[in-house]
Amino acid sequence: MLKIMKRKKMLFTAMFLLLQFAIFAQSRVVKGTVKDSKTNETLPGVTVLVEGTTTATITNEKGEFTINVDGQGKKLILSSLGFATKVVAADKDVVDVSIEAATTSLKETVVTAVGISREKKSLGYASQEVKGDAVQGAREMNVVNSLEGKVAGLNITSSSGAVGASSNITLRGAASFTGNNSPLFVINGIPVDNDFKESRSGSPNQGNPISDLNPDDIESVNILKGPVAAALYGSRAMNGAIIVTTKNGKGLKGKNSDFQVTYNAGYSSDKTLRLPEFQNSYGQGYTGDDPSDGSGNFMYADESWGAPLDGRTYTNYRGKVTTWDPQPNNIKDFFVTGHQLTNALSIASGDEKGAVRFSLSSFNQKGTVPNTAYAKYTTGLNIDRQLTKRLSTEIGVNYTLTQGKNRPGVGYDTYNPLQSMFGWFGRQVNMQELKDNYNEIDPTTGLHYNWNPVYHNNPYWTLYSNPNKDRRDRVIATAKFNYKIYDWLTATVRAGSDFSTESRFQQFKKGTIDYSVMQNGGFYDDKGKNTTANVDAMLTGSKRIKETYSITGTLGYNYYRRTSDASNTEVQGLLVPGLYNVSFAANTPIVTANSSTKEIVGLYGLVSLGYKDYLYLDVTARNDWSSTLPSKNRSYFYPSVSGSFIFSELLKTQKWLSFGKLRAGLAFIGNDTDPYNLTSYKTSGSIGSDPSVISTPFNGAVLLTQQNTLKNPDLKSETGKSFEIGTDLRFFNSKVGVDITYYNTTTKNIIVPVSIPASSGYTSTLINAGKINNQGIEIMLNLNAISSEKGFKWDIGLNFAKNKGKIVEVAEGLDKIFLDRDWADLYLVKGESYGTLYGNSVLKDENGKVLTDADGYLIKNPTPQKLGNVTPDFRMGLENTFSYKALSLSFLIDWQQGGKVFSQTNLWMDYAGTSQRTEDRPAAGLVNEGMVADNSTGTWISTGVANTTAIPCEAYWGDHAYMNFDNAVYDATYVKLRQVSLGYTLPESIIKKSPFSKVEIGLYGRNLWIIYSKLPYMDPEVNSSNSRNASGFESNAIPSTRSIGANLKIVF
Amino acid sequence: MKKIIIYGLGVLLISSSVSCKKRFDEMNVSPNNPADAPAQMLLSNVIASTAYRLQLSAGLVMTDLWVQHAKATTYMDEDKYNPRNDRMDIVWSSLYATAFEDCIQAQNKAEENSQPNVQAIALVLKGYIGYNLTMLMGDVPYAEAGLGNDGIITPVYDPQLTVLNSIVADLDKAISLMDPATGSSSIDELPKYDLIYGGDMDKWKKFAGSLKLRIYLTMNSGGVNKTAEINTLLSSADIFQSNADEAKLTFVSSGNPVYQWINPSSARRSDFRVSSSLVNYMMGSSVDSTLPADKRLTIFADPIDDGKYVGGTNGQTGGIATNSTLGSNYYSYSSPYYFMSYSEVLFIKAEMDTTNQANYEAAVTESFIQNGLTGADATAMLADPKFTFSAAKGGKLIGEQKWVSLFGQGVEAYNSWRRSGYPRLAPAANAATTNGYVPRRVSYNTDEKNLNTANLAVGVQGLTPSSDVITSKVWFDRLHPNNFGNQ
């Protein structure tokens, strides 16, 4: 340490000498201090030049300068690496200047595929970097969600407002059909696992593993948007890659730049953003059931078509005599205020030989659904060290523990307490009574009391008596060694592993109402283990020839192995009530176990050529061998070529153009399949799942059945071709920056699970058939609108992405394939974008008017009809940042245009008569507006007469909702105020006297306001499907939350 | 150091790129599931899944409603003759892709390994499944069905008569393969995997013979006279001889599939109640709705609170508290599914001579015994003037009583109703979509319409009229002059 200090001192002494010399020679002296406009830190080493002269100086350690100016009207030009050049008038004796970091520094290096650091300007493809600050300010549980609206082409859909919920992520649309369409996640060079975890269908969402990251550890996130950028990663990066680099203690700034302790505390309070509106005039029942008639009939209904809520006296489900009154706030009262609390501490130290950083963090969340919680604890250690003159190493270990407590189920599922509250509900139900008495058992049935004793559980029973818990322990370890064999040749070996164990436990207390077999108690106990190992070995050579040409070449070898093991145990019935131990199972436990292993071996190479720092050419090639493909098709090769031309270098006289680059790239890419897709196996037969109705062992025998998928021993790798072209332009001292990319990616020979006639003995088979094309445009605009000398600044950042996906080919003879089903069906349809909804529909005439029968009822269309496509037209994010000295305010607006969403919340609320829309119930009934049709010929034909016959309101709304899904499909367009944040950095004057080197205070709000939406009742953004490729389904989604929080960051 | 690194990298590259063929081939074999398994192990899943689909998917939620044994209280689609596509589709796709396919796999494997008894059982079950499919839908793939593994993805549809003849041929082949002496051989492990008879091949023989009776009877209805074959079988020992021979699956380790839907012992789902058609018929002359003339009703249904047996009208929503639930004895956790009962054989015998009182009474009495009642209970019921035999109304009585006796076997009750025309059923209330007719069949599978279009079009030609709707009639049903029971 002493040495460094000494060296620094010498340097500055030299500078002072220079300065002194300048003073001697001149007459008028101008003094000043230069600061970073953003951080307000003083900046040493800034060059100060008097315009039109050769007189120059450099700021000292404290950012101060003194310079002689000869004559009047002169200007000072301030420049420093990584900062925009600034010109100020030298008309006063003291000129304090703030200079700002260049929007994107031209010398900026970014981490690209397989961990190769590159100068950004040399890249022939689009990538976008998000700095760690952006994910540390306004906090999100899931780091990925912080990127929402900030990156052009990145599409993030959060699944619900539940604690620890996952998000669906795609870059530039889906490249494959039913396979994994999520980009590859890479942490410090090691590809990590980010597959959805769902131990059982309909089970609570356990979140993406990427949310295991501690946001405070993130240095930067670089998004390689397409195959051209990610080509070196091979098949796993067909959907682009998201490269996360964590902090390592290098490049510390400020007072204690050799040893720094950073503490970060954050708190936010979360409330449900939007709730449905309900009718409050009619209570539980079918066809006007009267609760006071003594039959108890109304109770068996889980709908609200009962008697008017007129205060009549009745006996409720607990045998209590009470009045039949509306409960307008019963749903609102169910939700509570959620909290999120973050504490993060890091210790970092660095010198020129290396750096160390250690971090600890905790995150605790309580959800808006009662008794739900989520916690995440992380610890990490990163060590960088120059071991010898030639050998350096980087080692990192991260451990994360995540614990979910009672994550609620999602979608149309009994685990989701909202299923029985939004739609299937009695509007007279008193929530407090449910809450106070949820554990009471009805002695005649042995089941707990609930407002409906047959279909649903009391939501509090679900949450308090039938809770679930889950846990994931995860270790990501990486080690990298660099050895400089010659000055121009480096060998690198990087090895890493991502190891996690998961467990999930769901209990069912004796007395559970359910048409399942869990009424005598039972549980699910699911466990899993995943290991990913990744090794890269590379040789990199780099030469410069006569300052004109540069050449860099890399040869690499990659080994990847992923294994997973899972065992799921289901127990139906408990011998000892309350004892959830498999040893005391009343029936034979149903245990399923699954393991899988997959390996990929790859060889790759990269050659980069540079000419005079403005012309670059990259050629890459990779060959992979995957264990999942048959031996004859196991090897696949894909090359790429890309280049960039910095034409601004040739136009240096054009002052208005700060930077101009053209880039273009072409890549071929391949993709393998999942393990065990080549042979049809015999599996354990079961009917009904969660809980199982028929399963092994059955009457003491194994149930063995031929798989329903006819496997294909001739599968080939999927192949893709991607072309992109773009430009990066900056004008007026980089005050305006535009980055535009056009891309066109076609994937073909997609491995498609196609349905085949069941009479063949199989319901589906796997073939190489599909073809999908994605083309689109991404625009990023950065504008420094105002930058006053007094320190006021206004920056505008805008990103826009339009992706047009088209299913070019499904399979021979087919025009669509099935993707997912949740009442409505989602298909991939030839000629359309990814994801077309189909569902129940009624007969209509040629004018689109519904047909009715003679009694005024709608007529079911025997064939499900197309309801709309779920893919949005475009997405746009607009971020405005205002700053004045140490204060900054920014807000982010997010706009999605188009796409359709099938809202089951709306559907079932109408069906069951709980929605506000169904409140008007004329005694005469309601009339289906349409034409009367006649069926005497065997076909329904409009008579041309308008229908005037009214039908009961219950039948009207029932058919309106359930027969005609058109009525539940909405435009998913929304405009949202995603984020507002206010930041303040304590000024130098205060800090100076404190032991701190930096103190930042932030206030923020997230998901604040749905400015525009066509979807009633729900947040249009919430996608409640658990499936990794299904979007466009909304089903009793846990409402998204509005978070308001504060953040404090202290650097010692 | 430099050399070590360079050589190290070289060795790594070479060793990895040396053919990893064997290693990868071994790695890509599933450790979870067998690609190959003994034939008998497939039988238990065929039996369990067929029982599930016929009792629940094709039974309770569809044909039980259409023959008016049961009625729906809510979600009225099927009860109002507006069956949901997925409800119809699952019957076809599950029976073909699970049960039928497993029979083919088991049959081939057993043949390969010389396990004639296992092969025979697979053939009988395949015939049983094929019979139910053709009876529900009409012309269906049989000869080419289940051969996806051999490259037949779009099998042709065989005319119903061809299907029935092929099944008879399969049953005959099965009978010829059966070797009772080795029925419980340790190689076959049938006591474990044959969930119906535990490897008793004598009983399998009788089951196969009894199934032939059903099929011949169907051919008779279609106008192909098989009376001689039926009479020969009836007088042979190759059919069920007593209740001990009946083919049934008892649920031991997991409950009867309908148990979870309607088990009335606890207040679980209440989607179904007993139909008034059944209750009113079984009341006979009794005017006291707590004391039905036909005591089997006390097994089929549970009384409502005041001890009364009350049915509900099909097609009418509700009735949860006012109508009787389906019988707790009948749909309990371990209630059996009947593949075929002895009483049905006796009813077939009765049908062959509708003037024979003894045959009628024997069949009815057997049905009582099957339900745990006594001969005396049957005698009492037969004394009721509504049920007392006369030659003039023999055909009607036999048809009606067979319909009662097939309670819980909705598909066969539906077959019997379409064959005999008894009982006369009034269509469900609010049944607009069929123009007021009780459905005559189940629609073809949706995937089949999309993916096996040309062959299906040929199959549709076997329907009267040639239209894939639930009101068209299948081959054996087409000769009836009208939609009896629908007037």
Short mmCIF file of all heavy atoms in Angstrom, two decimals, chain A residues 84-86 100 103 656 658 730-737 782-788 793-796:
data_model
loop_
_atom_site.label_atom_id
_atom_site.label_comp_id
_atom_site.label_asym_id
_atom_site.label_seq_id
_atom_site.Cartn_x
_atom_site.Cartn_y
_atom_site.Cartn_z
N ALA A 84 -17.43 12.90 -21.50
CA ALA A 84 -17.66 13.71 -22.69
C ALA A 84 -16.85 14.99 -22.56
O ALA A 84 -16.74 15.57 -21.48
CB ALA A 84 -19.15 14.04 -22.80
N THR A 85 -16.28 15.40 -23.66
CA THR A 85 -15.48 16.63 -23.67
C THR A 85 -16.41 17.81 -23.39
O THR A 85 -17.54 17.85 -23.89
CB THR A 85 -14.82 16.78 -25.05
OG1 THR A 85 -14.06 15.61 -25.28
CG2 THR A 85 -13.93 18.00 -25.11
N LYS A 86 -15.94 18.72 -22.56
CA LYS A 86 -16.80 19.85 -22.21
C LYS A 86 -16.05 21.16 -22.46
O LYS A 86 -14.86 21.28 -22.17
CB LYS A 86 -17.22 19.75 -20.74
CG LYS A 86 -18.21 20.81 -20.36
CD LYS A 86 -19.09 20.35 -19.21
CE LYS A 86 -20.16 21.37 -18.94
NZ LYS A 86 -21.08 20.91 -17.90
N GLU A 100 -19.44 15.13 -17.50
CA GLU A 100 -20.26 13.93 -17.34
C GLU A 100 -19.69 12.74 -18.11
O GLU A 100 -19.04 12.92 -19.14
CB GLU A 100 -21.68 14.20 -17.78
CG GLU A 100 -21.82 14.41 -19.25
CD GLU A 100 -23.23 14.87 -19.57
OE1 GLU A 100 -24.05 13.98 -19.81
OE2 GLU A 100 -23.47 16.09 -19.58
N THR A 103 -21.97 8.94 -22.68
CA THR A 103 -23.14 8.06 -22.69
C THR A 103 -22.69 6.61 -22.85
O THR A 103 -23.07 5.73 -22.12
CB THR A 103 -24.08 8.43 -23.84
OG1 THR A 103 -24.08 9.86 -23.95
CG2 THR A 103 -25.46 7.92 -23.60
N TRP A 656 -19.90 17.54 -35.79
CA TRP A 656 -21.20 17.16 -35.25
C TRP A 656 -21.33 15.65 -35.05
O TRP A 656 -22.11 15.17 -34.27
CB TRP A 656 -22.33 17.65 -36.18
CG TRP A 656 -22.13 17.19 -37.61
CD1 TRP A 656 -21.39 17.83 -38.55
CD2 TRP A 656 -22.63 16.01 -38.21
NE1 TRP A 656 -21.40 17.13 -39.72
CE2 TRP A 656 -22.15 16.00 -39.55
CE3 TRP A 656 -23.44 14.96 -37.77
CZ2 TRP A 656 -22.47 14.98 -40.44
CZ3 TRP A 656 -23.74 13.95 -38.67
CH2 TRP A 656 -23.25 13.95 -40.00
N SER A 658 -19.90 12.57 -33.51
CA SER A 658 -18.89 12.14 -32.56
C SER A 658 -18.44 10.73 -32.85
O SER A 658 -17.31 10.35 -32.58
CB SER A 658 -19.42 12.18 -31.13
OG SER A 658 -20.42 13.12 -30.99
N ARG A 730 -23.42 8.68 -32.87
CA ARG A 730 -23.48 9.66 -31.78
C ARG A 730 -23.14 11.03 -32.34
O ARG A 730 -22.23 11.15 -33.16
CB ARG A 730 -22.53 9.29 -30.66
CG ARG A 730 -23.10 8.14 -29.87
CD ARG A 730 -22.10 7.54 -28.98
NE ARG A 730 -22.08 6.09 -29.17
CZ ARG A 730 -21.27 5.28 -28.54
NH1 ARG A 730 -20.39 5.76 -27.69
NH2 ARG A 730 -21.32 3.99 -28.75
N PHE A 731 -23.91 11.99 -31.88
CA PHE A 731 -23.75 13.33 -32.43
C PHE A 731 -23.47 14.33 -31.32
O PHE A 731 -23.82 14.10 -30.17
CB PHE A 731 -25.03 13.75 -33.15
CG PHE A 731 -25.50 12.76 -34.18
CD1 PHE A 731 -26.51 11.86 -33.88
CD2 PHE A 731 -24.91 12.71 -35.44
CE1 PHE A 731 -26.95 10.95 -34.82
CE2 PHE A 731 -25.35 11.80 -36.38
CZ PHE A 731 -26.38 10.92 -36.07
N PHE A 732 -22.95 15.45 -31.73
CA PHE A 732 -22.77 16.61 -30.84
C PHE A 732 -22.16 16.21 -29.51
O PHE A 732 -22.84 16.20 -28.48
CB PHE A 732 -24.11 17.33 -30.61
CG PHE A 732 -24.88 17.56 -31.88
CD1 PHE A 732 -26.09 16.92 -32.10
CD2 PHE A 732 -24.36 18.39 -32.87
CE1 PHE A 732 -26.79 17.12 -33.28
CE2 PHE A 732 -25.06 18.58 -34.05
CZ PHE A 732 -26.27 17.96 -34.27
N ASN A 733 -20.91 15.83 -29.56
CA ASN A 733 -20.22 15.43 -28.36
C ASN A 733 -20.95 14.32 -27.62
O ASN A 733 -21.07 14.34 -26.39
CB ASN A 733 -20.05 16.62 -27.39
CG ASN A 733 -18.84 17.43 -27.80
OD1 ASN A 733 -17.87 16.89 -28.31
ND2 ASN A 733 -18.94 18.74 -27.60
N SER A 734 -21.51 13.43 -28.37
CA SER A 734 -22.23 12.28 -27.82
C SER A 734 -23.45 12.67 -27.01
O SER A 734 -23.92 11.90 -26.18
CB SER A 734 -21.30 11.40 -26.96
OG SER A 734 -20.27 10.87 -27.77
N LYS A 735 -23.95 13.88 -27.26
CA LYS A 735 -25.17 14.29 -26.55
C LYS A 735 -26.38 13.53 -27.09
O LYS A 735 -27.38 13.34 -26.41
CB LYS A 735 -25.42 15.79 -26.74
CG LYS A 735 -24.74 16.64 -25.69
CD LYS A 735 -25.10 18.10 -25.91
CE LYS A 735 -24.36 19.01 -24.97
NZ LYS A 735 -24.78 18.86 -23.59
N VAL A 736 -26.29 13.12 -28.34
CA VAL A 736 -27.37 12.35 -28.94
C VAL A 736 -26.77 11.05 -29.44
O VAL A 736 -25.74 11.05 -30.11
CB VAL A 736 -28.00 13.11 -30.13
CG1 VAL A 736 -29.14 12.30 -30.73
CG2 VAL A 736 -28.48 14.47 -29.69
N GLY A 737 -27.40 9.98 -29.05
CA GLY A 737 -26.91 8.68 -29.50
C GLY A 737 -28.07 7.86 -30.04
O GLY A 737 -29.15 7.83 -29.45
N ASN A 782 -30.48 7.79 -27.03
CA ASN A 782 -30.05 8.46 -25.81
C ASN A 782 -29.90 9.93 -26.12
O ASN A 782 -29.27 10.30 -27.09
CB ASN A 782 -28.72 7.92 -25.32
CG ASN A 782 -28.87 6.52 -24.80
OD1 ASN A 782 -29.57 6.30 -23.83
ND2 ASN A 782 -28.25 5.58 -25.49
N LEU A 783 -30.48 10.73 -25.28
CA LEU A 783 -30.48 12.15 -25.57
C LEU A 783 -30.17 12.90 -24.28
O LEU A 783 -30.82 12.70 -23.26
CB LEU A 783 -31.87 12.53 -26.10
CG LEU A 783 -32.10 13.98 -26.44
CD1 LEU A 783 -31.25 14.39 -27.63
CD2 LEU A 783 -33.58 14.19 -26.76
N ASN A 784 -29.17 13.73 -24.36
CA ASN A 784 -28.90 14.61 -23.24
C ASN A 784 -29.57 15.92 -23.59
O ASN A 784 -29.03 16.75 -24.31
CB ASN A 784 -27.39 14.76 -23.07
CG ASN A 784 -27.04 15.78 -22.02
OD1 ASN A 784 -26.16 16.57 -22.19
ND2 ASN A 784 -27.78 15.77 -20.92
N ALA A 785 -30.81 16.08 -23.13
CA ALA A 785 -31.63 17.21 -23.58
C ALA A 785 -31.12 18.52 -23.01
O ALA A 785 -31.05 19.53 -23.70
CB ALA A 785 -33.07 16.98 -23.17
N ILE A 786 -30.80 18.52 -21.74
CA ILE A 786 -30.31 19.74 -21.10
C ILE A 786 -29.08 19.40 -20.29
O ILE A 786 -29.03 18.37 -19.63
CB ILE A 786 -31.38 20.35 -20.16
CG1 ILE A 786 -32.61 20.79 -20.96
CG2 ILE A 786 -30.80 21.53 -19.39
CD1 ILE A 786 -33.74 21.30 -20.12
N SER A 787 -28.11 20.23 -20.38
CA SER A 787 -26.95 20.06 -19.54
C SER A 787 -26.45 21.46 -19.23
O SER A 787 -25.62 22.00 -19.93
CB SER A 787 -25.91 19.24 -20.30
OG SER A 787 -24.82 19.00 -19.47
N SER A 788 -27.03 22.06 -18.19
CA SER A 788 -26.69 23.45 -17.92
C SER A 788 -25.40 23.53 -17.15
O SER A 788 -24.98 22.57 -16.49
CB SER A 788 -27.81 24.12 -17.12
OG SER A 788 -27.64 23.83 -15.75
N LYS A 793 -29.38 18.69 -15.37
CA LYS A 793 -29.29 17.80 -16.52
C LYS A 793 -30.58 17.06 -16.74
O LYS A 793 -31.29 16.69 -15.80
CB LYS A 793 -28.20 16.75 -16.25
CG LYS A 793 -26.91 17.06 -16.96
CD LYS A 793 -25.91 15.98 -16.69
CE LYS A 793 -26.34 14.68 -17.33
NZ LYS A 793 -25.48 13.58 -16.93
N TRP A 794 -30.87 16.87 -18.01
CA TRP A 794 -32.04 16.05 -18.35
C TRP A 794 -31.61 15.06 -19.41
O TRP A 794 -31.19 15.44 -20.50
CB TRP A 794 -33.18 16.95 -18.85
CG TRP A 794 -34.40 16.20 -19.27
CD1 TRP A 794 -34.74 14.93 -18.93
CD2 TRP A 794 -35.44 16.68 -20.14
NE1 TRP A 794 -35.93 14.57 -19.51
CE2 TRP A 794 -36.38 15.63 -20.25
CE3 TRP A 794 -35.66 17.89 -20.80
CZ2 TRP A 794 -37.54 15.77 -21.02
CZ3 TRP A 794 -36.82 18.00 -21.57
CH2 TRP A 794 -37.75 16.96 -21.68
N ASP A 795 -31.70 13.79 -19.08
CA ASP A 795 -31.34 12.74 -20.02
C ASP A 795 -32.57 11.92 -20.37
O ASP A 795 -33.39 11.62 -19.50
CB ASP A 795 -30.29 11.80 -19.40
CG ASP A 795 -28.94 12.46 -19.31
OD1 ASP A 795 -28.48 12.94 -20.36
OD2 ASP A 795 -28.39 12.54 -18.20
N ILE A 796 -32.64 11.60 -21.62
CA ILE A 796 -33.76 10.78 -22.08
C ILE A 796 -33.20 9.52 -22.71
O ILE A 796 -32.29 9.59 -23.54
CB ILE A 796 -34.62 11.54 -23.11
CG1 ILE A 796 -35.15 12.83 -22.49
CG2 ILE A 796 -35.77 10.67 -23.63
CD1 ILE A 796 -35.76 13.77 -23.49
#
